[in-house]
Amino acid sequence: MREIKFRAWHKNRKTFLDFYWAVDKLGRTFSILDKYMYDEFTDEIELIQYTGLKDMNGVEIYEGDIVNVTWQRDDVEGENYAIAYDPNNDGYSAFDFVDWYEDMNGLSCAYIDGQITVIGNRFENPELLEEEL
């Protein structure tokens, strides 16, 4: 069973916040962000879910991360992909590469037939997704 975890991106501060869920003695759930308790989130906070996967260095892969994939079958190096939640991913995990061009789930294929390395995220490193001219 995979671990359900999140991290939180604060849009205005442009930083990740320490985040975890807590339950008080009455069974009420609340979150703790950056050492402050919140009953609900504002639009300043974006929760990012853990995929349940780790890269080849043991780094957890989260939604919004940018990964570099070396495909073993094609001997192709240096392809960067952003990870996103995909609710319509028929029969595969809920996370996939953004703009993946094949019918199969790209993240699943890369996990089986490639080497994945987390190199950044779409919040702090959007330039990693820019195509070279």
Side-chain angles (χ1 to χ4, degrees):
M1 190 164 159
R2 96 178 152 86
E3 187 175 7
I4 306 296
K5 295 187 341 183
F6 294 88
R7 61 185 183 188
W9 174 254
H10 195 289
K11 296 175 186 176
N12 292 339
R13 292 189 209 168
K14 307 274 189 233
T15 189
F16 285 101
L17 303 176
D18 292 331
F19 170 83
Y20 62 92
W21 294 108
V23 178
D24 66 13
K25 292 179 182 180
L26 299 176
R28 295 176 297 194
T29 302
F30 58 94
S31 59
I32 298 178
L33 281 169
D34 208 23
K35 301 180 184 170
Y36 296 101
M37 287 190 293
Y38 292 84
D39 289 330
E40 59 186 56
F41 291 103
T42 69
D43 58 356
E44 296 173 0
I45 304 296
E46 184 172 342
L47 285 183
I48 299 138
Q49 189 172 358
Y50 174 48
T51 65
L53 301 173
K54 294 182 180 179
D55 76 358
M56 61 185 277
N57 299 313
V59 176
E60 295 176 339
I61 303 172
Y62 280 82
E63 175 183 11
D65 280 348
I66 299 171
V67 297
N68 181 273
V69 178
T70 300
W71 297 97
Q72 294 174 0
R73 65 189 155 133
D74 297 330
D75 205 21
V76 175
E77 295 186 30
E79 292 184 317
N80 293 350
Y81 301 97
I83 305 295
Y85 175 74
D86 183 359
N88 301 316
N89 218 335
D90 203 27
Y92 294 98
S93 65
F95 298 95
D96 199 356
F97 296 144
V98 173
D99 297 328
W100 179 245
Y101 52 89
E102 295 187 25
D103 291 337
M104 299 175 276
N105 180 283
L107 181 57
S108 296
C109 290
Y111 206 72
I112 293 168
D113 189 39
Q115 294 182 331
I116 302 172
T117 306
V118 174
I119 59 172
N121 61 69
R122 68 180 174 89
F123 305 100
E124 298 172 309
N125 316 102
E127 71 279 359
L128 294 173
L129 293 173
E130 295 175 1
E131 292 187 33
E132 294 182 17
L133 300 176

